[in-house]
Amino acid sequence: MTTDFSHKPTLTGELVVLRPVTEDDVPALLPMLRDPEIGRLTGSHADFEESALRAWYGSRGAQSNRLDLAVVERATGRVVGEVVLNDWDQANESCNFRICLAPDALGRGLGTEATRLIVGYGFEAVGLYRVSLEVYAFNPRARRAYEKAGFRAEGVLRGALLWEGERVDATVMAALAPEWAATRT
């Protein structure tokens, strides 16, 4: 069992490999991060500049309080997204999860497998008890994928996002270690 996120593992599934993200992944990630629909689904108002992204992704390996991994499609070897465990609360054995995939990687099971791999690592190797996330009301595809991966809805943050003049609710979802273990046996 590891005590933090200093170790940056490579996790391999049938469809994807999750490996430490680096600044060399920026050219593959930049189109995804600049895609208007991906920005809407993730609620990102950011304008991503390549130099800032290179600095950001170049520093991820040194972070002991978070785990940022590139999602690599095994069939093509192409980086198609990222998965992250962040907002680590060591005292309560919990953290946040987020995932972002390129539009052409959606709907093929890559995200579900990537989610299961990184969340499983959090529970089994780091000793987390709770992994949570928020999903916006206009992203039912992501909510279904999270449910397939073992997350349960816990509540609604009303009007959590202001998107193009409209308030959008976010559903808080979480997976707990005992439930995760029960589905894996």
Side-chain angles (χ1 to χ4, degrees), residues 92-136:
N92 290 305
E93 301 172 330
S94 66
C95 71
N96 180 68
F97 166 73
R98 68 177 175 80
I99 184 171
C100 188
L101 295 177
D104 65 340
L106 300 175
R108 299 190 286 131
L110 305 177
T112 299
E113 184 176 80
T115 299
R116 287 181 177 145
L117 287 169
I118 195 169
V119 171
Y121 176 82
F123 287 139
E124 297 161 13
V126 180
L128 295 173
Y129 179 80
R130 182 175 191 276
V131 177
S132 62
L133 61 86
E134 293 176 15
V135 60
Y136 296 112

Side-chain angles (χ1 to χ4, degrees), residues 1-7 9 11 64-67 84-98 115-133 151 174-182:
M1 186 94 44
T2 179
T3 58
D4 61 18
F5 292 117
S6 294
H7 173 68
L11 308 172
S64 63
N65 65 343
R66 59 183 291 140
L67 178 61
V84 178
L85 293 176
N86 63 354
D87 295 337
W88 182 37
D89 180 346
Q90 186 176 12
N92 290 305
E93 301 172 330
S94 66
C95 71
N96 180 68
F97 166 73
R98 68 177 175 80
T115 299
R116 287 181 177 145
L117 287 169
I118 195 169
V119 171
Y121 176 82
F123 287 139
E124 297 161 13
V126 180
L128 295 173
Y129 179 80
R130 182 175 191 276
V131 177
S132 62
L133 61 86
F151 285 82
L176 303 179
E179 297 166 352
W180 184 267

Side-chain angles (χ1 to χ4, degrees), residues 2-142:
T2 179
T3 58
D4 61 18
F5 292 117
S6 294
H7 173 68
K8 309 299 183 189
T10 296
L11 308 172
T12 303
E14 291 180 23
L15 302 173
V16 299
V17 173
L18 307 182
R19 59 149 176 82
V21 69
T22 70
E23 69 180 284
D24 293 337
D25 295 319
V26 170
L29 294 171
L30 197 53
M32 171 192 76
L33 295 170
R34 288 183 173 164
D35 183 273
E37 181 63 5
I38 296 298
R40 184 180 79 85
L41 294 175
T42 60
S44 176
H45 296 286
D47 182 21
F48 297 103
E49 293 300 322
E50 187 169 351
S51 60
L53 287 173
R54 284 190 174 280
W56 172 259
Y57 285 113
S59 70
R60 299 304 81 201
Q63 307 299 313
S64 63
N65 65 343
R66 59 183 291 140
L67 178 61
D68 298 77
L69 301 176
V71 179
V72 180
E73 183 178 21
R74 284 189 69 180
T76 64
R78 185 172 69 98
V79 173
V80 296
E82 67 175 348
V83 289
V84 178
L85 293 176
N86 63 354
D87 295 337
W88 182 37
D89 180 346
Q90 186 176 12
N92 290 305
E93 301 172 330
S94 66
C95 71
N96 180 68
F97 166 73
R98 68 177 175 80
I99 184 171
C100 188
L101 295 177
D104 65 340
L106 300 175
R108 299 190 286 131
L110 305 177
T112 299
E113 184 176 80
T115 299
R116 287 181 177 145
L117 287 169
I118 195 169
V119 171
Y121 176 82
F123 287 139
E124 297 161 13
V126 180
L128 295 173
Y129 179 80
R130 182 175 191 276
V131 177
S132 62
L133 61 86
E134 293 176 15
V135 60
Y136 296 112
F138 52 46
N139 197 351
R141 174 189 281 165

